Amino acid sequence: EAGVTQSPTHLIKTRGQQATLRCSPISGHTSVYWYQQALGLGLQFLLWYDEGEERNRGNFPPRFSGRQFPNYSSELNVNALELEDSALYLCASSLGQHNEKLFFGSGTQLSVL
Amino acid sequence: GQQVMQIPQYQHVQEGEDFTTYCNSSTTLSNIQWYKQRPGGHPVFLIQLVKSGEVKKQKRLTFQFGEAKKNSSLHITATQTTDVGTYFCAINTGNQFYFGTGTSLTVIP
């Protein structure tokens, strides 16, 4: 069974540009979570999607947005990139039930120059 | 919002020594999970604790959930170089998963 897949693995952008990160959850998982992990830091919650709807978002500006498609894959969009957006962006999926565990993808390393 | 304090932030141990990381919350928790992230890798689920006072073991790893369900610990007996990584506790509130700040473990051969 395939795990959570994220693309691209690495992404290099310049300030002011827009970035799109993609995530495919494990088959059968309806929930997708996005986290930002800056170098040496913890996981900061960005967004949670379940059954195609945005269920919750973390304390990030509106230029961080996303969506979930009917096949439960998800996109994270970051507009007007800033230098401090450079980080590892992790996607995780779960069955969407209470007390479920998260399965993480390998992440997209975003570098903003 | 939910706050989860995790200590210590860093721990260096000689191979063979024991290691413990602690996770504390100001509120009563319904559950707590532990994840491990190897250097350059992604977090991987280790275990979930749900019951008050629960203790679970995985080989050299012992996980405990406090009686008041406000704290948890992960203890590794006789560390090995394969234990290197960052250990995170996480709380599922139903709206999101809150992750602790993590404890980075370095094992010196």
Side-chain angles (χ1 to χ4, degrees):
Chain A
E1 179 183 285
V4 177
T5 57
Q6 290 186 246
S7 63
T9 305
H10 295 86
L11 190 57
I12 300 174
K13 295 285 186 177
T14 56
R15 282 177 58 191
Q17 284 189 315
Q18 184 253 355
T20 298
L21 288 63
R22 296 179 176 82
C23 172
S24 292
I26 290 173
S27 177
H29 285 192
T30 61
S31 270
V32 170
Y33 298 78
W34 287 94
Y35 286 88
Q36 182 196 65
Q37 186 174 36
L39 186 62
L41 298 181
L43 294 113
Q44 303 300 315
F45 170 71
L46 275 163
L47 289 159
W48 170 33
Y49 292 96
D50 183 60
E51 296 282 1
E53 300 282 334
E54 182 180 301
R55 301 298 185 182
N56 198 10
R57 66 177 292 128
N59 191 24
F60 280 83
R63 57 191 187 82
F64 286 84
S65 65
R67 54 180 172 168
Q68 187 177 34
F69 299 97
N71 67 353
Y72 303 117
S73 66
S74 177
E75 259 182 16
L76 174 68
N77 295 292
V78 189
N79 293 320
L81 284 165
E82 300 178 1
L83 297 178
E84 51 265 34
D85 296 334
S86 295
L88 179 67
Y89 288 83
L90 291 162
C91 167
S93 74
S94 78
L95 285 169
Q97 300 167 6
H98 189 58
N99 282 349
E100 266 299 312
K101 59 187 178 184
L102 295 180
F103 294 82
F104 282 86
S106 299
T108 293
Q109 184 65 55
L110 173 64
S111 299
V112 183
L113 307 177
Chain B
Q2 180 73 48
Q3 286 195 333
V4 180
M5 304 301 295
Q6 195 171 349
I7 56 170
Q9 187 175 0
Y10 301 97
Q11 185 81 60
H12 291 70
V13 298
Q14 291 281 348
E15 189 174 14
E17 290 183 337
D18 292 356
F19 159 77
T20 305
T21 174
Y22 301 90
C23 194
N24 298 297
S25 169
S26 57
T27 60
T28 302
L29 307 170
S30 61
N31 65 79
I32 195 160
Q33 298 180 347
W34 286 92
Y35 292 78
K36 176 184 178 181
Q37 184 175 23
R38 294 181 184 274
H42 57 275
V44 174
F45 174 83
L46 293 176
I47 207 158
Q48 175 170 273
L49 305 172
V50 178
K51 300 177 182 177
S52 167
E54 189 170 15
V55 178
K56 287 188 176 180
K57 292 190 176 184
Q58 290 180 351
K59 297 183 180 179
R60 295 178 294 104
L61 277 62
T62 302
F63 303 84
Q64 293 191 4
F65 202 7
E67 293 289 342
K69 301 181 74 174
K70 289 186 175 182
N71 56 72
S72 180
S73 65
L74 158 58
H75 179 83
I76 302 179
T77 303
T79 54
Q80 300 176 358
T81 54
T82 53
D83 296 324
V84 164
T86 301
Y87 293 85
F88 294 96
C89 60
I91 298 162
N92 181 2
T93 65
N95 279 330
Q96 64 166 286
F97 284 78
Y98 285 93
F99 280 81
T101 47
T103 296
S104 176
L105 172 64
T106 299
V107 179
I108 305 164

mmCIF file of all heavy atoms in Angstrom, chain B residues 51-68:
data_model
loop_
_atom_site.group_PDB
_atom_site.id
_atom_site.type_symbol
_atom_site.label_atom_id
_atom_site.label_comp_id
_atom_site.label_asym_id
_atom_site.label_seq_id
_atom_site.Cartn_x
_atom_site.Cartn_y
_atom_site.Cartn_z
ATOM 1 N N LYS B 51 -5.884 5.856 28.321
ATOM 2 C CA LYS B 51 -6.389 5.644 29.679
ATOM 3 C C LYS B 51 -5.501 6.284 30.732
ATOM 4 O O LYS B 51 -4.277 6.321 30.606
ATOM 5 C CB LYS B 51 -6.493 4.146 29.956
ATOM 6 C CG LYS B 51 -7.430 3.407 29.019
ATOM 7 C CD LYS B 51 -7.405 1.912 29.323
ATOM 8 C CE LYS B 51 -8.292 1.140 28.361
ATOM 9 N NZ LYS B 51 -8.206 -0.322 28.605
ATOM 10 N N SER B 52 -6.120 6.740 31.802
ATOM 11 C CA SER B 52 -5.403 7.314 32.930
ATOM 12 C C SER B 52 -4.428 6.295 33.493
ATOM 13 O O SER B 52 -4.798 5.143 33.734
ATOM 14 C CB SER B 52 -6.410 7.731 34.009
ATOM 15 O OG SER B 52 -5.766 8.024 35.215
ATOM 16 N N GLY B 53 -3.156 6.725 33.692
ATOM 17 C CA GLY B 53 -2.162 5.836 34.268
ATOM 18 C C GLY B 53 -1.649 4.750 33.330
ATOM 19 O O GLY B 53 -0.889 3.877 33.741
ATOM 20 N N GLU B 54 -2.037 4.824 32.068
ATOM 21 C CA GLU B 54 -1.660 3.777 31.114
ATOM 22 C C GLU B 54 -0.151 3.718 30.901
ATOM 23 O O GLU B 54 0.516 4.750 30.840
ATOM 24 C CB GLU B 54 -2.368 4.025 29.778
ATOM 25 C CG GLU B 54 -2.248 2.906 28.767
ATOM 26 C CD GLU B 54 -3.166 3.099 27.576
ATOM 27 O OE1 GLU B 54 -3.693 4.214 27.380
ATOM 28 O OE2 GLU B 54 -3.370 2.127 26.832
ATOM 29 N N VAL B 55 0.373 2.495 30.831
ATOM 30 C CA VAL B 55 1.778 2.264 30.524
ATOM 31 C C VAL B 55 1.844 1.265 29.372
ATOM 32 O O VAL B 55 1.229 0.204 29.429
ATOM 33 C CB VAL B 55 2.554 1.703 31.731
ATOM 34 C CG1 VAL B 55 4.012 1.420 31.336
ATOM 35 C CG2 VAL B 55 2.491 2.656 32.908
ATOM 36 N N LYS B 56 2.592 1.643 28.344
ATOM 37 C CA LYS B 56 2.775 0.739 27.204
ATOM 38 C C LYS B 56 4.258 0.624 26.897
ATOM 39 O O LYS B 56 5.007 1.578 27.051
ATOM 40 C CB LYS B 56 2.030 1.254 25.972
ATOM 41 C CG LYS B 56 0.525 1.116 26.038
ATOM 42 C CD LYS B 56 -0.110 1.461 24.694
ATOM 43 C CE LYS B 56 -1.616 1.246 24.704
ATOM 44 N NZ LYS B 56 -2.232 1.575 23.398
ATOM 45 N N LYS B 57 4.649 -0.562 26.473
ATOM 46 C CA LYS B 57 6.055 -0.785 26.156
ATOM 47 C C LYS B 57 6.210 -1.259 24.717
ATOM 48 O O LYS B 57 5.398 -2.038 24.210
ATOM 49 C CB LYS B 57 6.658 -1.820 27.113
ATOM 50 C CG LYS B 57 6.768 -1.331 28.539
ATOM 51 C CD LYS B 57 7.599 -2.279 29.405
ATOM 52 C CE LYS B 57 7.769 -1.692 30.804
ATOM 53 N NZ LYS B 57 8.647 -2.515 31.660
ATOM 54 N N GLN B 58 7.276 -0.778 24.094
ATOM 55 C CA GLN B 58 7.680 -1.243 22.770
ATOM 56 C C GLN B 58 9.174 -1.502 22.864
ATOM 57 O O GLN B 58 9.978 -0.579 22.776
ATOM 58 C CB GLN B 58 7.401 -0.192 21.690
ATOM 59 C CG GLN B 58 5.956 0.042 21.365
ATOM 60 C CD GLN B 58 5.765 1.101 20.291
ATOM 61 O OE1 GLN B 58 6.704 1.796 19.892
ATOM 62 N NE2 GLN B 58 4.537 1.246 19.802
ATOM 63 N N LYS B 59 9.556 -2.736 23.090
ATOM 64 C CA LYS B 59 10.953 -3.118 23.240
ATOM 65 C C LYS B 59 11.604 -2.235 24.313
ATOM 66 O O LYS B 59 11.248 -2.323 25.492
ATOM 67 C CB LYS B 59 11.681 -3.002 21.896
ATOM 68 C CG LYS B 59 11.127 -3.963 20.848
ATOM 69 C CD LYS B 59 11.906 -3.877 19.550
ATOM 70 C CE LYS B 59 11.322 -4.856 18.533
ATOM 71 N NZ LYS B 59 12.034 -4.788 17.221
ATOM 72 N N ARG B 60 12.540 -1.373 23.968
ATOM 73 C CA ARG B 60 13.230 -0.565 24.965
ATOM 74 C C ARG B 60 12.504 0.750 25.275
ATOM 75 O O ARG B 60 12.967 1.531 26.105
ATOM 76 C CB ARG B 60 14.648 -0.256 24.465
ATOM 77 C CG ARG B 60 15.549 -1.480 24.327
ATOM 78 C CD ARG B 60 16.932 -1.107 23.769
ATOM 79 N NE ARG B 60 16.821 -0.633 22.397
ATOM 80 C CZ ARG B 60 16.895 0.635 22.049
ATOM 81 N NH1 ARG B 60 17.083 1.581 22.949
ATOM 82 N NH2 ARG B 60 16.805 0.977 20.765
ATOM 83 N N LEU B 61 11.386 0.995 24.639
ATOM 84 C CA LEU B 61 10.638 2.235 24.848
ATOM 85 C C LEU B 61 9.464 1.991 25.785
ATOM 86 O O LEU B 61 8.702 1.029 25.600
ATOM 87 C CB LEU B 61 10.108 2.762 23.506
ATOM 88 C CG LEU B 61 11.049 3.590 22.625
ATOM 89 C CD1 LEU B 61 12.274 2.791 22.189
ATOM 90 C CD2 LEU B 61 10.314 4.146 21.422
ATOM 91 N N THR B 62 9.318 2.852 26.798
ATOM 92 C CA THR B 62 8.193 2.783 27.724
ATOM 93 C C THR B 62 7.461 4.108 27.702
ATOM 94 O O THR B 62 8.064 5.163 27.893
ATOM 95 C CB THR B 62 8.667 2.482 29.155
ATOM 96 O OG1 THR B 62 9.390 1.258 29.166
ATOM 97 C CG2 THR B 62 7.480 2.388 30.097
ATOM 98 N N PHE B 63 6.174 4.041 27.463
ATOM 99 C CA PHE B 63 5.325 5.227 27.383
ATOM 100 C C PHE B 63 4.365 5.223 28.568
ATOM 101 O O PHE B 63 3.773 4.196 28.890
ATOM 102 C CB PHE B 63 4.509 5.223 26.088
ATOM 103 C CG PHE B 63 5.333 5.132 24.834
ATOM 104 C CD1 PHE B 63 5.751 3.887 24.364
ATOM 105 C CD2 PHE B 63 5.679 6.266 24.130
ATOM 106 C CE1 PHE B 63 6.505 3.779 23.209
ATOM 107 C CE2 PHE B 63 6.428 6.176 22.973
ATOM 108 C CZ PHE B 63 6.845 4.931 22.514
ATOM 109 N N GLN B 64 4.208 6.402 29.196
ATOM 110 C CA GLN B 64 3.283 6.509 30.320
ATOM 111 C C GLN B 64 2.343 7.688 30.133
ATOM 112 O O GLN B 64 2.741 8.738 29.621
ATOM 113 C CB GLN B 64 4.069 6.695 31.633
ATOM 114 C CG GLN B 64 4.886 5.503 32.053
ATOM 115 C CD GLN B 64 5.413 5.636 33.477
ATOM 116 O OE1 GLN B 64 5.105 6.586 34.171
ATOM 117 N NE2 GLN B 64 6.207 4.672 33.892
ATOM 118 N N PHE B 65 1.113 7.516 30.593
ATOM 119 C CA PHE B 65 0.126 8.587 30.615
ATOM 120 C C PHE B 65 -0.184 8.849 32.075
ATOM 121 O O PHE B 65 -0.482 7.912 32.824
ATOM 122 C CB PHE B 65 -1.132 8.158 29.862
ATOM 123 C CG PHE B 65 -1.992 9.281 29.356
ATOM 124 C CD1 PHE B 65 -1.598 10.612 29.439
ATOM 125 C CD2 PHE B 65 -3.224 9.016 28.769
ATOM 126 C CE1 PHE B 65 -2.392 11.635 28.946
ATOM 127 C CE2 PHE B 65 -4.030 10.030 28.261
ATOM 128 C CZ PHE B 65 -3.615 11.346 28.352
ATOM 129 N N GLY B 66 -0.101 10.087 32.499
ATOM 130 C CA GLY B 66 -0.288 10.411 33.901
ATOM 131 C C GLY B 66 -1.679 10.080 34.418
ATOM 132 O O GLY B 66 -2.646 10.004 33.656
ATOM 133 N N GLU B 67 -1.760 9.911 35.736
ATOM 134 C CA GLU B 67 -3.037 9.567 36.358
ATOM 135 C C GLU B 67 -4.088 10.643 36.100
ATOM 136 O O GLU B 67 -5.272 10.350 35.915
ATOM 137 C CB GLU B 67 -2.847 9.390 37.872
ATOM 138 C CG GLU B 67 -2.001 8.187 38.279
ATOM 139 C CD GLU B 67 -2.709 6.871 38.037
ATOM 140 O OE1 GLU B 67 -3.955 6.874 37.885
ATOM 141 O OE2 GLU B 67 -2.037 5.821 37.992
ATOM 142 N N ALA B 68 -3.646 11.900 36.113
ATOM 143 C CA ALA B 68 -4.576 13.016 35.878
ATOM 144 C C ALA B 68 -4.761 13.301 34.388
ATOM 145 O O ALA B 68 -5.510 14.217 34.012
ATOM 146 C CB ALA B 68 -4.073 14.277 36.571
#
